[in-house]
């Protein structure tokens, strides 16, 4: 046995946040955890922030026109810069961490050559404001391009033979002279005027500064090679590229075309702000290259060396573009069926939740998303930013409950199941028979008690026999269902009562079979001492004959952070002779079975998909050590055993495929709620020689197999059906079909209204034969 129980092993996470999700500051904090909308490394490294990912996506499909259009969205003079760009983005290519960086520059040149037609650039309406530009190098042309698109009228001044500046020194095979002429034609379409100046000197600058509101000096023009000092200007300031009151400079000490274009663009931004009389420096921290936080996994990707790009051979172009990883994160979406279901990613979902909570009138379209998350935490385990979608959804549920915006029907079944578990009919707290104190308190949890009551009796008997100190019994629920439903006040009240009950028993150590119970204790009741049933069984094992079987092991998601417990389970399985295969998502990365967080109650169809997906990712037969996981996964048709079946084979039940894991384990099986009541009755009678005060409705009800499957799928219990029948008998309020003789009754015990169609058959006694049953998420006041 471990030296110490697990009290205070973890720092509890508090769901009681001072900030509410509806506050924008809280929303921003959540959003910042998700990096999906961050640009890829190549785009962040590009001074102009060309969308390389979208460009590559088009190139992979051979859509040359679309690819060139992507360049033109960001790149000035794309027919020129697309050919001469020195591709600084390539050094940041994520692909380089796998094998070899993508040849981005070659692919840009291929796109320009494969679709040479220049694109139409539509400027904003004319502002009737002229701006002077001294020089005609690439920085000056970029400045003119950007200001022309904004509606200004740039006037270029340059000596004859210097139009294009240093671009004219680039070899013809790389930059054809026709490409430059086409660029000037595009500039003309942007209302850019050209004025031939005999010389570029201080006198001309003074003249232009006096005549125009703002002037740009493009220093990458041969006549201005002397730099700003040759014109009596100060070197341009960082960020703004301002050299004098209304004079901005660019093309300063540039060694590359892309840098010249970048400086021209930065100056154009400053000139626009200068003319609009707004701050020249505000919110410009992400202009130019910056570090992105986007995470892109390359784990498991095959390597593929770069291949030469021959633009005349489209296959080589597509092949190289096909090496692009199209970088994005979505690590959580890759592994979570729930996140994939809603076609987005956490940052987008956070905004949808915020909008959903902020609606005064209208449809709350995000309700289903908020209600459906299982809260398993796998998203946080794989997320570089630790984004926990479950906690976000839980906060949203709590907010909706607090503001009376939560539909009561979403978790109706789960909450009523909780109520049944903690009712006098099913709950039990006792010292061991003959003992007046307890060192331990065995708590099987509501699901093992509801699914396998015989196993609970067997395990408790073993603990009483093997533990050196007395072990009492606690049949109850930890309160997780009401927590999932966002009913925080009710959850807190239940926990307080549960803690007081444990204290009244002398504060024994809880032996918890359920990891959800453990999760609840460690987060919300840190003073309660607990230990896992599996760790106890490892040190006090039952005498079970080893069997030679192999399984895929499924860990419950609430055991994600319980490494000692997971270790004990594996050692116990080994002791039983079971060979285990670990699925790719196992241990800390295990998946939900579809039950947790109220998913099974709020979105049964999604829960079914989650369960089947998890089962499909497990090879062969599955070994579970959580009753709900076993029952949920069994719906896939696979054989799913519980580890207790091999430790206590005399109490094992044959694995069956459950129609609906929440209600039955298989055809003919009783309801979980009825199981819990019978467990209490049997234990009281067997161990304490007491008779339980049971209030069972035993009216004879018959359901054909197909009808039973139907009511299971609709989460209608036999107790719901009997309650409706009892309501009809007591009130006489029912409808009768005169042709068939069938009767119809409705009953609304809570937020759900149940309808039951039945007939009464009498042979030697009256039997209620159920033909149909269904429910509505509404309360019917009158029928």
């Amino acid at each position: 046995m471990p030296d110490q129980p697990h009290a205070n092993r973890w720092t509890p996470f508090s769901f009681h946040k001072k900030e509410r999700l509806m506050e924008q500051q809280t929303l921003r904090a959540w959003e910042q955890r998700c990096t999906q909308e961050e640009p890829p490394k190549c785009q962040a490294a590009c001074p102009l922030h060309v969308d390389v990912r979208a460009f590559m996506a088009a190139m992979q499909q051979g859509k040359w026109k679309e690819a060139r259009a992507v360049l033109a969205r960001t790149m000035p003079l794309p027919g020129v810069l697309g050919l001469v760009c020195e591709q600084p983005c390539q050094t940041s290519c994520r692909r380089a961490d796998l094998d070899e960086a993508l040849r981005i520059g070659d692919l840009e040149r291929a796109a320009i050559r494969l679709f040479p037609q220049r694109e139409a650039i539509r400027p904003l309406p004319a502002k009737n404001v002229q701006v002077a530009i001294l020089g005609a190098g690439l920085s000056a042309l970029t400045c003119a391009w950007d200001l022309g698109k904004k509606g200004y009228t740039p006037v270029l001044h340059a000596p004859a033979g210097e139009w294009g500046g240093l671009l004219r020194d680039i070899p013809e095979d790389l930059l054809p002279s026709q490409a430059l002429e086409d660029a000037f034609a595009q500039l003309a379409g942007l209302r850019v005027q050209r004025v031939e100046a005999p010389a570029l000197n201080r006198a001309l600058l003074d003249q232009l500064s006096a005549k125009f509101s703002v002037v740009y000096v493009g220093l990458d023009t041969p006549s201005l090679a002397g730099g700003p000092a040759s014109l009596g200007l100060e070197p341009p300031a960082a960020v703004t590229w301002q050299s004098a009151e209304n004079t901005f400079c660019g093309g300063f000490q540039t060694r590359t075309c892309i840098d010249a274009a970048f400086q021209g663009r930065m100056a154009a931004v400053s000139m626009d702000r200068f003319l609009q009389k707004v701050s020249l420096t505000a919110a410009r921290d992400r202009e130019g290259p910056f570090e992105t936080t986007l995470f892109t996994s390359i784990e498991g990707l095959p390597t593929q060396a770069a291949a030469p790009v021959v633009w005349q051979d489209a296959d080589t172009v597509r092949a190289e573009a096909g090496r692009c990883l199209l970088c994005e994160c979505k690590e959580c979406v890759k592994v979570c069926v729930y996140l994939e279901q809603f076609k987005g990613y956490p940052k987008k979902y956070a905004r949808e939740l915020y909008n959903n909570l902020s609606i005064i009138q209208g449809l709350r379209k995000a309700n289903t998303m908020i209600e459906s998350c299982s809260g398993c935490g796998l998203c946080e385990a794989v997320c570089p930013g630790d984004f926990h979608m479950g906690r976000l959804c839980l906060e949203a549920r709590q907010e909706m409950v607090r503001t009376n915006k939560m539909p009561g029907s979403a978790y109706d079944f789960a909450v009523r199941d909780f109520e049944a578990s903690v009712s006098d009919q099913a709950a039990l707290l006792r010292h061991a028979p003959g003992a007046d104190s307890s060192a331990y308190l065995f708590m099987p949890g509501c699901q093992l008690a509801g699914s396998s009551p015989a196993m609970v009796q067997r395990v408790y008997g073993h603990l009483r026999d093997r533990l050196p100190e007395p072990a009492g019994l606690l049949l109850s629920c930890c309160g997780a269902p009401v927590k999932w439903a966002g009913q925080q006040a009710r959850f807190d009240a239940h926990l307080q009562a549960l803690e007081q009950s444990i204290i009244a028993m002398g504060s024994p150590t809880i032996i918890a079979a359920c990891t959800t119970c453990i999760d609840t204790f460690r987060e919300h009741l840190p003073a309660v001492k607990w230990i896992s049933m599996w760790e106890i069984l490892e040190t006090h094992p039952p005498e079970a004959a080893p069997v030679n079987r192999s399984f895929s092991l499924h860990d419950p998601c609430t055991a994600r952070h319980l490494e000692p417990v997971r270790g004990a389970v594996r050692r116990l399985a080994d002791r039983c002779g079971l060979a285990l295969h670990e699925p790719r998502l196992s241990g800390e990365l295990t998946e939900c079975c579809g039950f947790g967080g109220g998913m099974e109650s709020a979105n049964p169809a999604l829960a079914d998909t989650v369960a089947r997906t998890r089962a499909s990712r497990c090879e062969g037969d599955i070994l579970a050590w959580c009753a709900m996981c076993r029952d949920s996964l069994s719906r896939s048709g696979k054989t799913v055993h519980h580890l207790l079946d091999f430790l206590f084979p005399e109490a094992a039940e044959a694995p069956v495929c459950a129609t609906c894991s929440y209600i039955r384990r298989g055809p003919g099986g009783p309801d979980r709620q009825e199981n819990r009541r019978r467990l209490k009755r049997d234990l009281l009678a067997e161990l304490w020689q007491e008779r339980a005060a049971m209030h069972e409705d035993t009216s004879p009800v018959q359901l054909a197999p197909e009808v039973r499957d139907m009511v299971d799928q609709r989460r209608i219990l036999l107790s719901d059906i009997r309650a409706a029948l009892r309501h009809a008998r007591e009130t006489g309020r029912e409808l009768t079909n005169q042709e068939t003789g069938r009767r119809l009754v409705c009953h609304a015990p809570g937020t759900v209204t149940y309808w039951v169609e039945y007939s009464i058959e009498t042979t030697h006694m009256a039997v209620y034969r159920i033909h149909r049953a269904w429910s509505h998420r509404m309360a019917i006041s009158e029928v």
Side-chain angles (χ1 to χ4, degrees):
M1 181 185 300
D3 295 336
Q4 298 292 332
H6 299 298
N8 297 320
R9 183 177 288 181
W10 289 271
T11 300
F13 178 85
S14 173
F15 287 92
H16 301 281
K17 290 183 178 295
K18 294 180 180 179
E19 303 84 6
R20 287 177 177 158
L21 189 56
M22 286 186 66
E23 296 176 0
Q24 283 218 353
Q25 185 177 1
T26 308
L27 171 68
R28 299 288 176 260
W30 275 105
E31 285 184 317
Q32 288 174 3
R33 289 173 177 266
C34 178
T35 67
Q36 173 60 20
E37 292 180 2
E38 282 285 294
K41 286 187 173 183
C42 51
Q43 184 176 353
C46 173
L48 303 179
H49 302 163
V50 170
D51 189 350
V52 181
R53 181 172 55 194
F55 170 76
M56 290 300 171
M59 293 292 281
Q60 289 176 357
Q61 301 175 60
K63 297 180 178 178
W64 319 128
K65 181 180 179 181
E66 286 83 348
R68 176 163 175 151
V70 172
L71 297 181
R73 281 205 298 266
T74 314
M75 191 179 277
L77 302 98
V80 171
L81 194 53
L83 294 174
V84 300
C85 177
E86 293 84 0
Q87 55 180 5
C89 53
Q90 184 165 316
T91 58
S92 298
C93 177
R94 180 67 168 123
R95 182 95 209 183
D97 298 323
L98 179 63
D99 40 43
E100 188 176 351
L102 204 65
R103 298 184 175 183
I104 302 172
D106 290 347
L107 290 167
E108 288 181 350
R109 283 183 277 279
I112 298 299
R113 286 168 172 148
L114 285 164
F115 193 81
Q117 294 90 339
R118 62 175 183 258
E119 49 283 306
I121 307 298
R122 294 181 175 82
L124 294 176
K127 299 179 185 295
N128 296 319
V129 177
Q130 289 188 322
V131 294
I133 296 178
L134 205 63
L138 184 53
S139 77
L141 299 181
T142 299
C143 183
W145 179 279
D146 285 359
L147 291 175
K149 288 178 65 176
K150 290 178 181 293
Y152 296 103
T153 304
V155 183
L156 289 164
H157 297 76
E162 292 195 10
W163 295 103
L166 300 177
L167 291 173
R168 293 198 174 277
D169 297 336
I170 297 176
E172 179 74 12
D173 60 343
L174 179 59
L175 180 62
S177 55
Q178 183 59 49
L180 197 54
E181 294 305 318
D182 288 344
F184 278 111
Q186 286 184 299
L187 285 168
L190 294 173
R191 296 185 288 266
V192 176
Q193 300 176 9
R194 298 166 64 177
V195 175
E196 190 170 306
L200 304 182
N201 51 35
R202 178 70 196 198
L204 178 60
L205 176 61
D206 290 341
Q207 180 185 344
L208 297 177
S209 297
K211 180 179 179 181
F212 294 87
S213 299
V214 66
V215 179
Y216 175 77
V217 179
L219 299 171
D220 53 333
T221 300
S223 293
L224 299 174
S230 66
L231 296 175
L233 294 172
E234 295 292 328
V239 179
T240 65
W241 298 87
Q242 188 175 26
S243 286
E245 174 56 27
N246 69 338
T247 304
F248 297 80
C249 290
F252 181 57
Q253 298 178 340
T254 57
R255 296 179 181 274
T256 63
C257 293
I258 189 67
D259 195 33
F262 167 63
Q263 292 186 20
R265 170 156 294 174
M266 294 284 281
V269 171
S270 298
M271 293 164 71
D272 179 41
R273 293 188 177 201
F274 180 84
L275 290 169
Q276 296 190 52
K277 296 181 172 50
V278 297
S279 170
L280 300 187
T281 56
R284 301 187 68 174
D285 55 313
R286 281 204 159 191
E287 290 185 355
F290 64 91
E291 289 292 328
T292 179
T293 58
L294 178 68
F295 174 80
T296 301
S297 175
I298 56 174
E299 182 181 358
L301 294 178
T303 58
Q304 182 183 355
V309 176
V310 181
W311 73 268
Q312 299 92 338
D313 184 349
D315 289 341
T316 66
V317 176
R318 278 195 292 265
E320 180 60 10
R323 295 178 61 245
C324 181
L325 302 176
L326 303 177
C327 290
E328 62 176 358
C329 181
K330 287 191 174 179
E331 290 300 296
C332 54
V333 181
K334 295 174 187 174
V335 297
C336 176
V337 174
Y338 158 77
L339 290 172
E340 184 184 26
Q341 172 91 5
F342 294 95
K343 312 295 182 186
Y345 44 86
K347 189 170 189 173
K348 177 173 178 287
Y349 296 152
R351 288 194 291 265
E352 291 180 11
L353 263 64
Y354 173 82
N355 293 333
N356 197 77
L357 296 178
S358 304
I359 290 176
I360 303 299
Q361 288 184 330
L363 297 177
R364 301 183 191 280
K365 296 182 178 179
N367 273 12
T368 301
M369 180 174 67
I370 294 171
E371 296 162 354
S372 301
C373 179
S374 71
C376 75
L378 178 56
C379 49
E380 182 189 40
V382 301
C383 175
D386 298 331
F387 197 114
H388 196 311
M389 192 67 192
R391 288 177 181 163
L392 178 63
C393 286
L394 183 59
E395 288 186 22
R397 294 175 196 176
Q398 292 169 346
E399 184 78 9
M400 291 170 68
V401 170
R402 188 185 66 80
T403 54
N404 295 320
K405 295 176 181 176
M406 170 64 77
S409 56
Y411 304 101
D412 176 81
F413 190 92
V415 171
R416 287 197 294 122
D417 198 49
F418 158 78
E419 291 170 346
S421 297
V422 301
S423 70
D424 290 341
Q425 295 290 297
L428 182 63
L429 177 61
R430 290 293 178 92
H431 293 302
D436 56 7
S437 64
S438 297
Y440 299 98
L441 204 56
F442 176 47
M443 183 177 183
C446 52
Q447 297 308 326
L448 183 63
S451 178
S452 304
M455 186 62 77
V456 171
Q457 291 178 267
R458 181 66 186 89
V459 173
Y460 184 46
H462 173 80
L463 295 176
R464 293 198 318 276
D465 293 341
R466 297 296 300 275
L467 291 177
E469 298 172 283
L473 180 66
L474 172 58
L475 300 181
S476 187
C477 174
C478 66
V482 287
K483 171 185 168 184
W484 297 336
Q487 299 179 13
Q488 187 65 44
R490 194 173 187 182
F491 178 57
D492 290 341
H494 173 71
L495 283 183
Q496 184 178 8
L498 184 61
E499 184 174 33
Q500 290 303 314
S501 297
I502 295 171
I503 292 173
M505 294 289 285
S507 298
T509 298
I510 302 294
I511 301 175
C514 174
T515 48
T516 298
C517 296
I518 292 175
D519 221 31
T520 301
F521 289 140
R522 74 182 181 88
E523 289 190 1
H524 302 285
L525 294 178
V528 171
K529 296 175 293 184
W530 59 267
I531 190 167
S532 167
M533 175 191 72
W534 303 103
E535 292 171 287
I536 290 286
L537 292 178
E538 184 185 12
T539 52
H540 298 81
E543 299 297 330
V547 295
N548 185 20
R549 296 281 301 272
S550 62
F551 291 97
S552 281
L553 181 65
H554 168 78
D555 293 310
C557 57
T558 41
R560 190 179 313 286
H561 304 296
L562 302 177
E563 192 280 331
V565 180
R566 299 199 311 270
V569 164
R570 283 154 174 78
R571 290 186 289 273
L572 280 168
D574 182 66
R575 183 185 180 91
C576 294
L578 307 179
L580 301 181
H581 168 73
E582 300 276 357
R584 184 178 68 86
L585 294 173
S586 184
E588 291 184 1
L589 300 181
T590 189
E591 296 176 271
C592 178
C593 69
F595 175 77
M599 177 189 284
E600 175 78 36
S601 178
N603 195 336
L606 177 61
D608 187 70
T609 302
V610 169
R612 293 177 187 277
T613 300
R614 175 55 176 172
S616 70
R617 291 172 177 170
C618 296
E619 297 179 8
D621 295 345
I622 300 172
L623 182 70
W625 46 286
C626 164
M628 275 317 308
C629 292
R630 173 195 58 190
D631 297 350
S632 293
L633 298 177
S634 70
R635 280 183 291 177
S636 67
K638 283 196 171 187
T639 299
V640 187
H641 281 274
H642 197 292
L643 179 56
L644 287 175
D645 294 343
F646 297 96
L647 292 168
F648 302 97
E650 67 278 11
E653 299 174 3
V656 293
C657 177
T659 304
C660 176
S661 65
Y662 212 156
I663 303 174
R664 303 172 193 275
R665 288 200 57 219
D671 293 334
R672 290 175 181 272
Q673 293 180 16
E674 292 183 11
N675 268 349
R676 296 184 196 117
R677 289 194 293 266
R678 291 169 184 169
L679 175 63
K680 175 180 179 178
R681 179 195 62 192
D682 294 345
L683 284 169
L684 282 176
E686 177 187 353
L687 301 181
W688 289 278
Q689 288 76 51
E690 295 180 19
R691 182 174 181 177
M694 309 300 287
H695 306 290
E696 290 186 85
D697 184 347
T698 57
S699 52
V701 172
Q702 288 187 354
L703 294 83
E706 63 274 14
V707 177
R708 185 178 55 216
D709 288 348
M710 176 181 65
V711 300
D712 281 358
Q713 294 287 352
R714 295 173 178 175
R715 284 156 180 72
I716 299 173
L717 299 176
L718 281 179
S719 57
D720 297 325
I721 292 174
R722 286 192 169 108
L725 297 175
R726 189 165 58 250
H727 178 71
R729 291 197 300 270
E730 293 172 354
T731 65
R733 299 177 66 85
E734 60 182 3
L735 301 174
T736 302
N737 187 317
Q738 299 300 324
E739 295 182 359
T740 64
R742 292 183 180 181
R743 308 181 186 197
L744 180 64
V745 61
C746 78
H747 181 49
T751 57
V752 176
T753 297
Y754 297 95
W755 298 80
V756 178
E757 182 180 326
Y758 70 101
S759 57
I760 300 177
E761 298 178 356
T762 54
T763 50
H764 59 284
M765 62 180 293
V767 174
Y768 296 91
R769 177 169 294 280
I770 309 302
H771 301 285
R772 290 196 300 162
W774 64 96
S775 62
H776 289 142
R777 292 185 172 190
M778 64 178 76
I780 306 295
S781 57
E782 291 292 340
V783 175

